[in-house]
Amino acid sequence: MKLATWNVNSLKVRLPHLLDWLAREQPDVVCLQELKCEDAAVPRAEIEAAGYHLETLGQKTYNGVAILSRTSLGAVQRNIPGFADPQARVIAATIEGVRVVGAYFPNGQAVGSEKFAYKLEWLTALTQWLRAEIALHPKLVLTGDFNIAPEDRDAHPDWKDEIHVSAPERAAFAALTGLGLTDAYRRFEHPERSFSWWDYRMNAFRRNFGLRIDHILITAPLIETLSACEVDKSTRSLERPSDHAPVIAVFG
DNA sequence: ATGACCTCCAACGGAGGA
């Protein structure tokens, strides 16, 4: 199984890139974030024509998540159970015995802000739900745009803002790994300063001024078959790119 | 530097992103 996550920053704008990339990479499962459109506006026909089933949790203007799969998606869950969230950030489904949770974590804006408090509350709710979910599904993948760079090496040394690298955010990330989830990317050797997001401004991609905030976390039974995990930076050089690159994990 | 760039909106400036 080849599984990927990609924050497309508008499904409508990025659809040509997505379709080209699906044809080239042939992933089996793709979690998408920041659709920025309602379910009714999702270009289902084009994605289905590319060979994918899809389940979405759309929202106008902001947020919105989807899971694409070559095989059918079962037991679809939208948002975090028991957490009344007006923002569309989570979708989960069972695919060939693997519970796949695709999430668009809150940005948090600035440490200490209202949005930061929401980010931490959201992370607590996600963690509580996943504790139960992992007990039900030993093979589980948590993937998406985490908006957290878990270690210093996951942020450019010149990143001066606290957001995405603060102690509370990193503690929340550690709580997730404490559930028995492993960062698939760190199971392999990578160059220093490997990132998944680069600001649109200031030639950030050319200067590799970025953060590694898009992740694929997996439970122990999936580690045995994990054979690769990479960031695909190629899409970031296209015309009108997403500011995030896809991250791809290969099992088996 | 209250910046820069991109996407969205009952839009033409502001919000949000990261």
Side-chain angles (χ1 to χ4, degrees), chain A residues 191-226:
Chain A
E192 288 184 17
R193 302 188 185 183
S194 292
F195 306 127
S196 66
W197 169 87
W198 301 264
D199 201 297
Y200 283 121
R201 297 168 289 187
M202 296 285 289
N203 293 311
F205 183 62
R206 184 180 56 73
R207 297 188 296 119
N208 193 33
F209 182 78
L211 300 171
R212 194 177 72 90
I213 53 178
D214 301 271
H215 305 298
I216 300 174
L217 270 50
I218 62 176
T219 53
L222 291 171
I223 296 175
E224 302 160 19
T225 59
L226 178 69

mmCIF file of all heavy atoms in Angstrom, chain A residues 191-226:
data_model
loop_
_atom_site.group_PDB
_atom_site.id
_atom_site.type_symbol
_atom_site.label_atom_id
_atom_site.label_comp_id
_atom_site.label_asym_id
_atom_site.label_seq_id
_atom_site.Cartn_x
_atom_site.Cartn_y
_atom_site.Cartn_z
ATOM 1 N N PRO A 191 18.195 13.907 4.373
ATOM 2 C CA PRO A 191 19.105 15.048 4.490
ATOM 3 C C PRO A 191 18.673 15.974 5.627
ATOM 4 O O PRO A 191 17.492 16.013 5.986
ATOM 5 C CB PRO A 191 18.972 15.759 3.136
ATOM 6 C CG PRO A 191 18.384 14.755 2.217
ATOM 7 C CD PRO A 191 17.549 13.836 3.057
ATOM 8 N N GLU A 192 19.630 16.741 6.148
ATOM 9 C CA GLU A 192 19.257 17.776 7.107
ATOM 10 C C GLU A 192 18.358 18.801 6.413
ATOM 11 O O GLU A 192 18.416 18.982 5.216
ATOM 12 C CB GLU A 192 20.512 18.473 7.649
ATOM 13 C CG GLU A 192 21.313 17.597 8.587
ATOM 14 C CD GLU A 192 22.488 18.347 9.182
ATOM 15 O OE1 GLU A 192 22.509 19.591 9.134
ATOM 16 O OE2 GLU A 192 23.403 17.668 9.685
ATOM 17 N N ARG A 193 17.554 19.462 7.207
ATOM 18 C CA ARG A 193 16.636 20.489 6.691
ATOM 19 C C ARG A 193 15.707 19.916 5.617
ATOM 20 O O ARG A 193 15.616 20.441 4.506
ATOM 21 C CB ARG A 193 17.396 21.715 6.184
ATOM 22 C CG ARG A 193 18.251 22.325 7.293
ATOM 23 C CD ARG A 193 18.877 23.644 6.896
ATOM 24 N NE ARG A 193 19.776 24.112 7.968
ATOM 25 C CZ ARG A 193 20.439 25.254 7.956
ATOM 26 N NH1 ARG A 193 20.314 26.068 6.926
ATOM 27 N NH2 ARG A 193 21.221 25.585 8.964
ATOM 28 N N SER A 194 15.073 18.830 5.956
ATOM 29 C CA SER A 194 14.020 18.259 5.102
ATOM 30 C C SER A 194 12.677 18.763 5.606
ATOM 31 O O SER A 194 12.309 18.508 6.750
ATOM 32 C CB SER A 194 14.055 16.729 5.167
ATOM 33 O OG SER A 194 15.212 16.220 4.568
ATOM 34 N N PHE A 195 11.961 19.481 4.759
ATOM 35 C CA PHE A 195 10.710 20.113 5.163
ATOM 36 C C PHE A 195 9.566 19.694 4.240
ATOM 37 O O PHE A 195 9.798 19.095 3.184
ATOM 38 C CB PHE A 195 10.867 21.646 5.153
ATOM 39 C CG PHE A 195 12.038 22.122 5.988
ATOM 40 C CD1 PHE A 195 13.007 22.957 5.444
ATOM 41 C CD2 PHE A 195 12.172 21.723 7.313
ATOM 42 C CE1 PHE A 195 14.083 23.391 6.210
ATOM 43 C CE2 PHE A 195 13.242 22.146 8.087
ATOM 44 C CZ PHE A 195 14.213 22.987 7.533
ATOM 45 N N SER A 196 8.330 20.041 4.667
ATOM 46 C CA SER A 196 7.156 19.723 3.849
ATOM 47 C C SER A 196 6.334 20.960 3.505
ATOM 48 O O SER A 196 5.380 20.880 2.735
ATOM 49 C CB SER A 196 6.262 18.714 4.578
ATOM 50 O OG SER A 196 5.710 19.283 5.756
ATOM 51 N N TRP A 197 6.675 22.082 4.097
ATOM 52 C CA TRP A 197 5.968 23.355 3.824
ATOM 53 C C TRP A 197 6.979 24.484 3.701
ATOM 54 O O TRP A 197 7.954 24.541 4.462
ATOM 55 C CB TRP A 197 4.975 23.672 4.963
ATOM 56 C CG TRP A 197 4.429 25.073 4.872
ATOM 57 C CD1 TRP A 197 3.344 25.487 4.169
ATOM 58 C CD2 TRP A 197 4.989 26.252 5.484
ATOM 59 N NE1 TRP A 197 3.188 26.860 4.301
ATOM 60 C CE2 TRP A 197 4.181 27.341 5.103
ATOM 61 C CE3 TRP A 197 6.086 26.482 6.308
ATOM 62 C CZ2 TRP A 197 4.427 28.648 5.516
ATOM 63 C CZ3 TRP A 197 6.346 27.794 6.721
ATOM 64 C CH2 TRP A 197 5.516 28.851 6.331
ATOM 65 N N TRP A 198 6.709 25.365 2.732
ATOM 66 C CA TRP A 198 7.542 26.552 2.539
ATOM 67 C C TRP A 198 6.615 27.730 2.266
ATOM 68 O O TRP A 198 5.734 27.644 1.399
ATOM 69 C CB TRP A 198 8.492 26.376 1.345
ATOM 70 C CG TRP A 198 9.408 25.201 1.482
ATOM 71 C CD1 TRP A 198 10.704 25.210 1.944
ATOM 72 C CD2 TRP A 198 9.122 23.828 1.152
ATOM 73 N NE1 TRP A 198 11.217 23.932 1.927
ATOM 74 C CE2 TRP A 198 10.272 23.071 1.448
ATOM 75 C CE3 TRP A 198 7.996 23.167 0.657
ATOM 76 C CZ2 TRP A 198 10.340 21.687 1.252
ATOM 77 C CZ3 TRP A 198 8.047 21.797 0.471
ATOM 78 C CH2 TRP A 198 9.208 21.076 0.764
ATOM 79 N N ASP A 199 6.841 28.844 2.954
ATOM 80 C CA ASP A 199 6.034 30.043 2.778
ATOM 81 C C ASP A 199 6.039 30.476 1.308
ATOM 82 O O ASP A 199 7.030 30.289 0.609
ATOM 83 C CB ASP A 199 6.614 31.156 3.668
ATOM 84 C CG ASP A 199 5.605 32.255 3.954
ATOM 85 O OD1 ASP A 199 5.180 32.925 2.987
ATOM 86 O OD2 ASP A 199 5.237 32.435 5.113
ATOM 87 N N TYR A 200 4.915 31.047 0.889
ATOM 88 C CA TYR A 200 4.852 31.577 -0.475
ATOM 89 C C TYR A 200 5.761 32.803 -0.648
ATOM 90 O O TYR A 200 6.157 33.140 -1.758
ATOM 91 C CB TYR A 200 3.419 31.994 -0.823
ATOM 92 C CG TYR A 200 2.473 30.863 -1.167
ATOM 93 C CD1 TYR A 200 1.314 30.650 -0.429
ATOM 94 C CD2 TYR A 200 2.717 30.023 -2.261
ATOM 95 C CE1 TYR A 200 0.426 29.639 -0.759
ATOM 96 C CE2 TYR A 200 1.836 29.005 -2.585
ATOM 97 C CZ TYR A 200 0.687 28.808 -1.837
ATOM 98 O OH TYR A 200 -0.190 27.816 -2.171
ATOM 99 N N ARG A 201 6.031 33.483 0.453
ATOM 100 C CA ARG A 201 6.740 34.757 0.371
ATOM 101 C C ARG A 201 8.258 34.572 0.412
ATOM 102 O O ARG A 201 8.760 33.557 0.872
ATOM 103 C CB ARG A 201 6.320 35.657 1.552
ATOM 104 C CG ARG A 201 4.846 35.997 1.519
ATOM 105 C CD ARG A 201 4.388 36.618 2.823
ATOM 106 N NE ARG A 201 4.363 35.637 3.902
ATOM 107 C CZ ARG A 201 3.881 35.872 5.115
ATOM 108 N NH1 ARG A 201 3.389 37.044 5.411
ATOM 109 N NH2 ARG A 201 3.898 34.949 6.033
ATOM 110 N N MET A 202 8.927 35.622 -0.076
ATOM 111 C CA MET A 202 10.378 35.723 0.149
ATOM 112 C C MET A 202 11.183 34.564 -0.458
ATOM 113 O O MET A 202 12.222 34.185 0.078
ATOM 114 C CB MET A 202 10.671 35.794 1.663
ATOM 115 C CG MET A 202 10.116 37.008 2.353
ATOM 116 S SD MET A 202 11.058 38.479 1.993
ATOM 117 C CE MET A 202 12.559 38.141 2.902
ATOM 118 N N ASN A 203 10.700 34.009 -1.551
ATOM 119 C CA ASN A 203 11.439 32.901 -2.176
ATOM 120 C C ASN A 203 11.783 31.798 -1.178
ATOM 121 O O ASN A 203 12.876 31.218 -1.222
ATOM 122 C CB ASN A 203 12.731 33.411 -2.823
ATOM 123 C CG ASN A 203 12.450 34.301 -4.010
ATOM 124 O OD1 ASN A 203 11.663 33.943 -4.887
ATOM 125 N ND2 ASN A 203 13.074 35.462 -4.049
ATOM 126 N N ALA A 204 10.836 31.523 -0.294
ATOM 127 C CA ALA A 204 11.124 30.589 0.795
ATOM 128 C C ALA A 204 11.486 29.189 0.281
ATOM 129 O O ALA A 204 12.365 28.535 0.843
ATOM 130 C CB ALA A 204 9.933 30.511 1.741
ATOM 131 N N PHE A 205 10.827 28.745 -0.783
ATOM 132 C CA PHE A 205 11.143 27.398 -1.291
ATOM 133 C C PHE A 205 12.553 27.357 -1.874
ATOM 134 O O PHE A 205 13.322 26.426 -1.594
ATOM 135 C CB PHE A 205 10.105 26.960 -2.331
ATOM 136 C CG PHE A 205 10.338 25.561 -2.841
ATOM 137 C CD1 PHE A 205 10.299 24.471 -1.986
ATOM 138 C CD2 PHE A 205 10.601 25.326 -4.188
ATOM 139 C CE1 PHE A 205 10.517 23.175 -2.448
ATOM 140 C CE2 PHE A 205 10.816 24.040 -4.657
ATOM 141 C CZ PHE A 205 10.778 22.961 -3.789
ATOM 142 N N ARG A 206 12.893 28.374 -2.645
ATOM 143 C CA ARG A 206 14.234 28.412 -3.235
ATOM 144 C C ARG A 206 15.308 28.441 -2.148
ATOM 145 O O ARG A 206 16.364 27.825 -2.279
ATOM 146 C CB ARG A 206 14.360 29.649 -4.147
ATOM 147 C CG ARG A 206 15.685 29.746 -4.898
ATOM 148 C CD ARG A 206 15.750 30.984 -5.788
ATOM 149 N NE ARG A 206 15.536 32.238 -5.087
ATOM 150 C CZ ARG A 206 16.425 32.802 -4.254
ATOM 151 N NH1 ARG A 206 17.582 32.215 -4.009
ATOM 152 N NH2 ARG A 206 16.139 33.949 -3.669
ATOM 153 N N ARG A 207 15.011 29.142 -1.049
ATOM 154 C CA ARG A 207 15.971 29.232 0.049
ATOM 155 C C ARG A 207 15.849 28.062 1.029
ATOM 156 O O ARG A 207 16.576 27.996 2.019
ATOM 157 C CB ARG A 207 15.751 30.551 0.814
ATOM 158 C CG ARG A 207 16.001 31.794 -0.033
ATOM 159 C CD ARG A 207 15.959 33.060 0.814
ATOM 160 N NE ARG A 207 14.637 33.305 1.402
ATOM 161 C CZ ARG A 207 14.387 33.366 2.700
ATOM 162 N NH1 ARG A 207 15.363 33.194 3.579
ATOM 163 N NH2 ARG A 207 13.167 33.601 3.139
ATOM 164 N N ASN A 208 14.877 27.166 0.766
ATOM 165 C CA ASN A 208 14.557 26.060 1.682
ATOM 166 C C ASN A 208 14.291 26.554 3.099
ATOM 167 O O ASN A 208 14.714 25.960 4.083
ATOM 168 C CB ASN A 208 15.655 24.987 1.691
ATOM 169 C CG ASN A 208 15.184 23.699 2.374
ATOM 170 O OD1 ASN A 208 13.999 23.350 2.303
ATOM 171 N ND2 ASN A 208 16.087 23.000 3.036
ATOM 172 N N PHE A 209 13.552 27.654 3.168
ATOM 173 C CA PHE A 209 13.111 28.165 4.468
ATOM 174 C C PHE A 209 11.744 27.550 4.760
ATOM 175 O O PHE A 209 10.711 28.045 4.305
ATOM 176 C CB PHE A 209 13.025 29.700 4.439
ATOM 177 C CG PHE A 209 12.616 30.285 5.761
ATOM 178 C CD1 PHE A 209 13.533 30.396 6.793
ATOM 179 C CD2 PHE A 209 11.319 30.693 5.975
ATOM 180 C CE1 PHE A 209 13.144 30.915 8.026
ATOM 181 C CE2 PHE A 209 10.932 31.223 7.200
ATOM 182 C CZ PHE A 209 11.847 31.335 8.220
ATOM 183 N N GLY A 210 11.744 26.428 5.477
ATOM 184 C CA GLY A 210 10.496 25.695 5.652
ATOM 185 C C GLY A 210 10.355 25.039 7.004
ATOM 186 O O GLY A 210 11.143 25.266 7.930
ATOM 187 N N LEU A 211 9.302 24.242 7.079
ATOM 188 C CA LEU A 211 8.992 23.461 8.275
ATOM 189 C C LEU A 211 8.572 22.059 7.846
ATOM 190 O O LEU A 211 7.997 21.889 6.769
ATOM 191 C CB LEU A 211 7.808 24.083 9.043
ATOM 192 C CG LEU A 211 7.929 25.514 9.559
ATOM 193 C CD1 LEU A 211 6.568 25.983 10.070
ATOM 194 C CD2 LEU A 211 8.976 25.599 10.659
ATOM 195 N N ARG A 212 8.834 21.071 8.684
ATOM 196 C CA ARG A 212 8.259 19.734 8.453
ATOM 197 C C ARG A 212 7.070 19.584 9.397
ATOM 198 O O ARG A 212 7.235 19.322 10.578
ATOM 199 C CB ARG A 212 9.297 18.628 8.706
ATOM 200 C CG ARG A 212 8.850 17.259 8.161
ATOM 201 C CD ARG A 212 9.908 16.197 8.356
ATOM 202 N NE ARG A 212 10.037 15.803 9.742
ATOM 203 C CZ ARG A 212 9.356 14.817 10.327
ATOM 204 N NH1 ARG A 212 8.498 14.100 9.620
ATOM 205 N NH2 ARG A 212 9.537 14.551 11.603
ATOM 206 N N ILE A 213 5.882 19.808 8.833
ATOM 207 C CA ILE A 213 4.655 19.820 9.637
ATOM 208 C C ILE A 213 3.611 18.847 9.124
ATOM 209 O O ILE A 213 2.550 18.716 9.722
ATOM 210 C CB ILE A 213 4.046 21.248 9.701
ATOM 211 C CG1 ILE A 213 3.852 21.829 8.312
ATOM 212 C CG2 ILE A 213 4.918 22.151 10.561
ATOM 213 C CD1 ILE A 213 3.211 23.214 8.306
ATOM 214 N N ASP A 214 3.892 18.197 7.993
ATOM 215 C CA ASP A 214 2.972 17.200 7.432
ATOM 216 C C ASP A 214 3.547 15.817 7.744
ATOM 217 O O ASP A 214 4.691 15.529 7.388
ATOM 218 C CB ASP A 214 2.834 17.413 5.927
ATOM 219 C CG ASP A 214 2.304 18.797 5.599
ATOM 220 O OD1 ASP A 214 1.070 18.954 5.540
ATOM 221 O OD2 ASP A 214 3.127 19.729 5.451
ATOM 222 N N HIS A 215 2.743 15.003 8.393
ATOM 223 C CA HIS A 215 3.292 13.772 8.969
ATOM 224 C C HIS A 215 2.431 12.548 8.669
ATOM 225 O O HIS A 215 1.234 12.671 8.369
ATOM 226 C CB HIS A 215 3.416 13.914 10.491
ATOM 227 C CG HIS A 215 4.206 15.107 10.919
ATOM 228 N ND1 HIS A 215 5.528 15.277 10.595
ATOM 229 C CD2 HIS A 215 3.841 16.222 11.621
ATOM 230 C CE1 HIS A 215 5.966 16.423 11.116
ATOM 231 N NE2 HIS A 215 4.961 17.021 11.722
ATOM 232 N N ILE A 216 3.087 11.396 8.784
ATOM 233 C CA ILE A 216 2.400 10.103 8.721
ATOM 234 C C ILE A 216 2.829 9.322 9.960
ATOM 235 O O ILE A 216 3.993 8.928 10.073
ATOM 236 C CB ILE A 216 2.759 9.341 7.428
ATOM 237 C CG1 ILE A 216 2.358 10.152 6.192
ATOM 238 C CG2 ILE A 216 2.092 7.960 7.423
ATOM 239 C CD1 ILE A 216 2.816 9.544 4.861
ATOM 240 N N LEU A 217 1.898 9.167 10.894
ATOM 241 C CA LEU A 217 2.174 8.430 12.133
ATOM 242 C C LEU A 217 1.485 7.070 12.052
ATOM 243 O O LEU A 217 0.315 6.983 11.646
ATOM 244 C CB LEU A 217 1.660 9.211 13.353
ATOM 245 C CG LEU A 217 2.635 10.205 14.017
ATOM 246 C CD1 LEU A 217 3.273 11.137 13.005
ATOM 247 C CD2 LEU A 217 1.944 10.998 15.113
ATOM 248 N N ILE A 218 2.195 6.032 12.478
ATOM 249 C CA ILE A 218 1.658 4.670 12.313
ATOM 250 C C ILE A 218 1.817 3.870 13.601
ATOM 251 O O ILE A 218 2.744 4.091 14.386
ATOM 252 C CB ILE A 218 2.374 3.936 11.153
ATOM 253 C CG1 ILE A 218 3.871 3.779 11.421
ATOM 254 C CG2 ILE A 218 2.144 4.689 9.834
ATOM 255 C CD1 ILE A 218 4.600 2.971 10.349
ATOM 256 N N THR A 219 0.903 2.919 13.789
ATOM 257 C CA THR A 219 0.997 2.026 14.949
ATOM 258 C C THR A 219 2.009 0.913 14.679
ATOM 259 O O THR A 219 2.398 0.665 13.529
ATOM 260 C CB THR A 219 -0.373 1.425 15.290
ATOM 261 O OG1 THR A 219 -0.913 0.815 14.104
ATOM 262 C CG2 THR A 219 -1.334 2.478 15.807
ATOM 263 N N ALA A 220 2.417 0.228 15.745
ATOM 264 C CA ALA A 220 3.499 -0.762 15.672
ATOM 265 C C ALA A 220 3.280 -1.856 14.612
ATOM 266 O O ALA A 220 4.231 -2.204 13.895
ATOM 267 C CB ALA A 220 3.717 -1.393 17.053
ATOM 268 N N PRO A 221 2.080 -2.411 14.481
ATOM 269 C CA PRO A 221 1.919 -3.485 13.482
ATOM 270 C C PRO A 221 2.210 -3.043 12.047
ATOM 271 O O PRO A 221 2.476 -3.884 11.189
ATOM 272 C CB PRO A 221 0.441 -3.892 13.633
ATOM 273 C CG PRO A 221 0.088 -3.496 15.019
ATOM 274 C CD PRO A 221 0.858 -2.244 15.291
ATOM 275 N N LEU A 222 2.177 -1.734 11.803
ATOM 276 C CA LEU A 222 2.446 -1.240 10.450
ATOM 277 C C LEU A 222 3.930 -0.956 10.213
ATOM 278 O O LEU A 222 4.369 -0.849 9.062
ATOM 279 C CB LEU A 222 1.632 0.036 10.184
ATOM 280 C CG LEU A 222 0.121 -0.173 10.067
ATOM 281 C CD1 LEU A 222 -0.609 1.165 10.028
ATOM 282 C CD2 LEU A 222 -0.226 -1.000 8.834
ATOM 283 N N ILE A 223 4.695 -0.845 11.291
ATOM 284 C CA ILE A 223 6.121 -0.551 11.143
ATOM 285 C C ILE A 223 6.835 -1.669 10.389
ATOM 286 O O ILE A 223 7.720 -1.408 9.558
ATOM 287 C CB ILE A 223 6.783 -0.325 12.516
ATOM 288 C CG1 ILE A 223 6.189 0.923 13.192
ATOM 289 C CG2 ILE A 223 8.300 -0.162 12.376
ATOM 290 C CD1 ILE A 223 6.701 1.148 14.606
ATOM 291 N N GLU A 224 6.416 -2.907 10.669
ATOM 292 C CA GLU A 224 7.101 -4.070 10.074
ATOM 293 C C GLU A 224 7.119 -4.012 8.549
ATOM 294 O O GLU A 224 8.088 -4.427 7.923
ATOM 295 C CB GLU A 224 6.395 -5.365 10.510
ATOM 296 C CG GLU A 224 6.329 -5.561 12.011
ATOM 297 C CD GLU A 224 5.242 -6.542 12.417
ATOM 298 O OE1 GLU A 224 4.802 -7.330 11.550
ATOM 299 O OE2 GLU A 224 4.820 -6.516 13.593
ATOM 300 N N THR A 225 6.044 -3.487 7.968
ATOM 301 C CA THR A 225 5.952 -3.501 6.507
ATOM 302 C C THR A 225 6.303 -2.157 5.866
ATOM 303 O O THR A 225 6.314 -2.047 4.647
ATOM 304 C CB THR A 225 4.527 -3.897 6.057
ATOM 305 O OG1 THR A 225 3.604 -2.954 6.606
ATOM 306 C CG2 THR A 225 4.181 -5.295 6.527
ATOM 307 N N LEU A 226 6.598 -1.160 6.691
ATOM 308 C CA LEU A 226 6.942 0.168 6.147
ATOM 309 C C LEU A 226 8.286 0.089 5.412
ATOM 310 O O LEU A 226 9.300 -0.269 5.997
ATOM 311 C CB LEU A 226 7.028 1.184 7.292
ATOM 312 C CG LEU A 226 7.416 2.615 6.895
ATOM 313 C CD1 LEU A 226 6.303 3.286 6.100
ATOM 314 C CD2 LEU A 226 7.753 3.430 8.147
#
